[in-house]
Each structure stands twice: as structure tokens, then as C-alpha cells.
Amino acid sequence: MKRFKTLRFRFALWTALLLFIVLLLFGSFVYVSLWRGLSNSIDDSIRLSSSQAIAAVNVENGNINISDIYPEGVPSDLRERGLTIRIISKEGVAMASIGPFRNLPIDSNSILNAKAGISSFSTIRVNDSETVRVYTAPIEDNQNIIGFIQVMQSLETLHETLDQLLLLLLISIPALVIISYISGYFLAARTLSPIDQITQMAQKISTKDLSARLNLPGNDDEIGRLANTFDNMLARLEDGFKREHQFTSNASHELRTPLTAMQSILSVTRGRKRSSEEYEKAMDDLSEEIDRMRSLTEDLLYIARGNSLSVAPNEVVDLSILLNDVCEIMQPMAELKRLVIRSNVQSNLSMMGDSDALIRAFVNLLDNAIKYTDRGVILIEARAEKGNNIEIVIADTGRGIDPEHLPHIFERFYRVDESRSTPGFGLGLAIVHEIVRAHRGSIEVTSQVGSGTTFHLHFSGLMKK
Ligand code: ADP
């Protein structure tokens, strides 16, 4: 039963069915055309023979004078064709006749037609297997009907020819249909075999091993493209799974660090009785570690939810106000390091966005600028550009980033300083990147070790007031 559900079975069945219908129509057309053509040519030849026979009839004083149609003997072609010719008097009595069907009863309908001057054909069944075509026409002399002529021919040869054709069709049509079914089945099986391969591979694939590939030899047809798409999809999935795996193990690792620190603070403190100052110091240390954990879990949550869920750029945001607010928020942090934040923000820069997400992005960028700069200035610029674009520049005079690290700084958990001497988890720029992408913007970085780093952000969709 399962076999009947396969695509190759259905394909073969449909091909065979279509061919059967086409052959049936074609066969019927050929059969009917041949039948009509042969019937017409028999009728034509009977009509011609009748005219020739009428010309040979001897007419005297308006009467037919005949005892034998061909006193000198029946012409050989008439005999060969098996024609029967019968001359009938005005009263409907046979006067003279030759041929195999001369004793056939005279059909009164045809004689009635002929009396009215109409020549007609009729078909008469002689016995079970044989029918005869009969042509009846009036014989006229000076526009008076003086008798009738009947010419008859057996239709046996016609039926024999048609029966042979029918037999040929009855044998060849089923044979061709069977051949088409078998070849259709094998053709479909051959064409669809890569799909079987895809199915088997898909059954084998699990999240543990996504390395399998079809690698079908270069076919640019539909199946080839499907296999290629499948391979590409597997590659993307494998890449995605690897990154997720990496993300989870990095996240666990980062979470373990403050937990271990908290555990060691607790065990050291509980090792012996402590003074109240020492307990206070331990509490402060614990609270610091808890802060670290909270900030990390917030970042992780933000990334884990995915930008499509957490960023909704559907409100009008005045970037000029927003950037000045961010500068104000970050000012105390900068002052702690004796840094100057200089802002040069054009007014009335509005666009559609998610203000919370944008604040988070700019705070992250300024936080980095402050964190990685020991002296100098942090510059924030924002201006309208050609074509309704907005450009935002955040530049610092800090330690800079080595060119080998630059391509990776937007990756999750990527940190240039492996020694972890500066606080951070390597998630800040990954979050900035996601937020900018969710706003259909772009972010680029240029940096020079020892002289500073500059981030360029571009957004489209500046709203004019
Ligand atoms: P982190 O929490 O380590 O700051 P980020 O994703 O924000 O993580 O940044 C990734 C890395 O890029 C940082 O570890 C730092 O080495 C580098 N970086 C980011 N911003 C700056 C900057 N303004 N100046 C120098 N280095 C920077």
C-alpha cells in the first residue's frame, strides 16, 4: 500500500493515463477518418459504375429494351470488384441483372425515392457477417422515368480493413500504455533518487551532529538547487548551533566567576570570628559581586531574547535630546577619571526608534570610551547627512584597539583584554550591534593603538520638522 503513495508511482500512473487518453482520441480519429474515407470512395465508385451502366442500356420508343445488360460479356473490372447491377422496370420488376447479389429483394423505399427522381444509397444486411451497399437511381428518357438501376457492392473488404485497424489499436494502445508506465516509473525513480537521499540524511541529522552534507555532484536543475539549499541550510544551522553552544558555555563561565568569588568571600569570612568592620567589608564585596552578576544576567537576557523581541523601533525619538541626556548621565563617571565629554549635537534630529534601546546602545559606547580612556576628551557628534540620513560619531583618545582585534569586537563575549583587568563581559558591543541593526542602521569602527577609537553610526529616516 505504501508503494502506491510514492511520487514515482503517481507520476508513472499519470503519464500512462494521459498517454492512454491521447492514444484513445488519436485511435478513434484515425478509425473514423478511415471509415469515412473508404465509405465515400466506395459510394463514388458505385455511382460512377451506375452512370456507365445506364449509358449502356438500350432504349427504344421510350421503353427499355433489355434481356441482358452486357450481351458481349461482363467487363472484367466489374467482375473483379464483385459489383451487382440490376435493371428494374417502371413497375418495380427486375428485367436484367448480373453479379452475386442479383437475387436480393428489391427495397421498396429506394424505388419510391427513385420514382420521385431521387437517387439514394442504402445498406442491407445479407447475413450475419456481410452487408451490401445498394445505390438506386432512376433511368430517364426525355425527362420521363422509364425504369431504375441498382448497383450493389459488398462492404466486406471495408469491414475487414477496419477490423484490422481496430485489432492493431487494441494491441498497440495497451502495450504503449504499459511501456509508458514502466518508463515513467523508472524515470521518476531516477529523478527523485536525490530526494530519497535528502530524506535519509534528514532522518540521520540531530542537534549533536549537523556536519552531514549531501554534496550532490554539480547539477543546476531543481533537485540540484534543492540539495544545495539543503546543504546551505545545514551549514547555517551548524554555525548557529555552534554559536549558541559557545554562547551558553561562555555565559556559564562568566556566571561562575562571581559565584566562585562570592563563595570564597563567604568561606574566608566564616573561617573564624570576625570584627564588625570585617563583616561589613565582606558584605560590600558580596554586594559588588552581586552587582556584577545582575549586570551580566541583564545583558544575557537582552541577548537571549533576541533583538526582534526586545527592540521595537516604533516611536518618534528626538536623538538630539536623547544624546544630550546620555552625556549628562555619563558625566559623573567621566569626571571620576578626569575626562571631558564634549558634545556637538545638531538639534531636531528625530527618527523612528526605540528610545530605551538607543539609550542602552549610546550608554554602552560611552561607557567603553570612558573605561578604555585614561586621559583626554570624549567627543560626541551628531548631524544630518544627505538623503535623510543621520550620522553619529563617538570618539575617544584612549588606548585604541589593535587591528587584529577590530573585526571581532562586535562578537559576543569577545574581549581584547584577556587578563580582565577592566570590568566587563564582552557583551556591550554585541548588544550595540543588535540595536543598531534593529534600527536598520550601520556601525563602523576605526582605531589607532595609543591614540584612540572612533565609532561611526548611520541611521536613515531623518524626520524633518
Ligand atoms: P567589554 O565589556 O569588554 O567592554 P564590549 O563588547 O563593550 O565588551 O567591547 C569589546 C572589546 O572591545 C572590549 O573588551 C575592548 O577591548 C574593546 N573596546 C570597546 N570599546 C573600546 C574603546 N572605546 N576603546 C578601546 N577598546 C575598546
Side-chain angles (χ1 to χ4, degrees):
M1 266 299 125
K2 208 175 160 194
R3 173 187 199 89
F4 298 131
K5 284 186 187 157
T6 60
L7 205 56
R8 69 198 67 176
F9 170 76
R10 276 186 279 160
F11 177 81
L13 200 67
W14 275 108
T15 325
L17 197 70
L18 280 178
L19 187 75
F20 177 67
I21 294 170
V22 169
L23 287 178
L24 204 65
L25 290 174
F26 177 72
S28 313
F29 173 75
V30 169
Y31 187 88
V32 171
S33 304
L34 188 74
W35 177 50
R36 282 198 169 179
L38 288 177
S39 300
N40 286 343
S41 77
I42 287 174
D43 285 357
D44 287 346
S45 95
I46 290 178
R47 213 182 276 120
L48 185 70
S49 303
S50 131
S51 319
Q52 286 167 349
I54 289 174
V57 170
N58 188 10
V59 179
E60 269 178 19
N61 302 328
N63 287 315
I64 299 172
N65 180 14
I66 196 161
S67 56
D68 196 346
I69 302 172
Y70 294 105
E72 295 90 30
V74 180
S76 60
D77 67 314
L78 289 189
R79 210 180 310 126
E80 274 162 24
R81 282 159 56 201
L83 280 182
T84 298
I85 300 177
R86 185 156 65 181
I87 306 292
I88 298 165
S89 70
K90 263 194 295 192
E91 293 74 28
V93 181
M95 298 171 76
S97 52
I98 54 156
F101 304 111
R102 56 179 172 267
N103 296 325
L104 219 62
I106 297 169
D107 165 29
S108 54
N109 267 347
S110 308
I111 296 295
L112 274 178
N113 279 338
K115 274 186 181 162
I118 302 165
S119 312
S120 64
F121 279 100
S122 57
T123 306
I124 294 171
R125 178 162 291 282
V126 182
N127 53 44
D128 280 352
S129 61
E130 195 169 12
T131 48
V132 176
R133 190 76 171 149
V134 181
Y135 178 65
T136 311
I139 303 173
E140 295 178 2
D141 182 45
N142 288 332
Q143 298 188 337
N144 291 323
I145 294 174
I146 55 171
F148 311 104
I149 185 165
Q150 278 194 320
V151 181
M152 305 169 220
Q153 183 172 354
S154 165
L155 293 178
E156 202 178 1
T157 339
L158 168 83
H159 286 142
E160 265 173 21
T161 314
L162 289 176
D163 285 351
Q164 273 173 9
L165 176 69
L166 192 67
L167 188 71
L168 191 76
L169 291 174
L170 285 179
I171 293 171
S172 62
I173 289 182
L176 285 172
V177 168
I178 290 170
I179 290 172
S180 122
Y181 174 81
I182 294 170
S183 47
Y185 189 87
F186 281 106
L187 199 72
R190 206 183 125 83
T191 317
L192 295 173
S193 76
I195 294 198
D196 273 347
Q197 266 174 276
I198 295 179
T199 315
Q200 280 163 16
M201 174 165 298
Q203 281 165 351
K204 267 194 245 157
I205 288 167
S206 72
T207 49
K208 298 236 165 20
D209 181 19
L210 285 168
S211 61
R213 297 286 180 277
L214 283 169
N215 283 334
L216 285 191
N219 261 351
D220 199 25
D221 54 17
E222 290 83 343
I223 304 271
R225 284 201 294 274
L226 173 70
N228 235 335
T229 311
F230 192 77
D231 279 351
N232 289 341
M233 185 191 76
L234 279 181
R236 283 198 303 274
L237 277 180
E238 190 183 15
D239 191 45
F241 268 108
K242 266 190 195 152
R243 272 190 295 132
E244 288 308 313
H245 185 72
Q246 186 68 36
F247 176 72
T248 324
S249 65
N250 283 344
S252 328
H253 179 79
E254 292 293 341
L255 279 169
R256 216 170 43 194
T257 315
L259 280 176
T260 316
M262 282 157 81
Q263 203 175 26
S264 75
I265 292 169
L266 281 174
S267 61
V268 168
T269 314
R270 290 172 68 193
R272 60 183 166 80
K273 214 160 171 41
R274 303 272 172 185
S275 65
S276 59
E277 288 80 29
E278 279 174 322
Y279 280 125
E280 230 167 79
K281 165 85 174 50
M283 298 290 246
D284 286 348
D285 289 348
L286 279 178
S287 147
E288 216 171 88
E289 290 305 327
I290 286 172
D291 269 353
R292 262 172 66 83
M293 257 183 86
R294 192 175 41 78
S295 132
L296 172 64
T297 37
E298 265 172 23
D299 282 356
L300 285 177
L301 256 180
Y302 199 87
I303 286 184
R305 269 198 222 121
N307 60 347
S308 55
L309 284 177
S310 48
V311 182
N314 51 13
E315 54 179 317
V316 179
V317 178
D318 188 326
L319 273 181
S320 314
I321 297 177
L322 187 140
L323 282 170
N324 285 327
D325 286 352
V326 171
C327 288
E328 235 171 81
I329 300 169
M330 301 306 285
Q331 195 67 42
M333 236 179 103
E335 275 167 15
L336 276 180
K337 287 186 82 178
R338 296 175 199 284
L339 295 171
V340 179
I341 297 183
R342 200 172 289 153
S343 98
N344 181 11
V345 176
Q346 200 179 311
S347 57
N348 292 333
L349 295 175
S350 297
M351 64 175 231
M352 291 303 285
D354 177 332
S355 55
D356 287 343
L358 287 170
I359 289 175
R360 192 182 185 110
F362 295 127
V363 165
N364 277 359
L365 287 170
L366 275 184
D367 182 51
N368 278 350
I370 296 168
K371 214 160 56 176
Y372 300 110
T373 304
D374 297 322
R375 64 177 158 277
V377 181
I378 290 158
L379 184 69
I380 297 190
E381 287 182 343
R383 55 183 160 264
E385 282 188 308
K386 265 192 287 178
N388 285 353
N389 291 333
I390 301 170
E391 186 189 31
I392 298 162
V393 180
I394 297 175
D396 63 55
T397 52
R399 64 172 84 154
I401 305 165
D402 198 282
E404 68 166 301
H405 296 293
L406 266 187
H408 305 289
I409 58 167
F410 293 107
E411 289 169 15
R412 296 163 179 181
F413 294 108
Y414 192 87
R415 304 204 69 208
V416 173
D417 181 9
E418 292 293 342
S419 71
R420 299 177 189 271
S421 57
T422 27
F425 311 104
L427 290 174
L429 286 182
I431 291 176
V432 172
H433 192 247
E434 300 236 320
I435 293 172
V436 172
R437 236 184 29 176
H439 283 81
R440 296 180 194 284
S442 64
I443 179 165
E444 290 111 44
V445 57
T446 51
S447 187
Q448 196 127 44
V449 177
S451 19
T453 306
T454 307
F455 287 90
H456 286 264
L457 288 87
H458 293 271
F459 295 104
S460 56
L462 168 68
M463 296 169 84
K464 295 211 172 94
K465 286 203 173 163

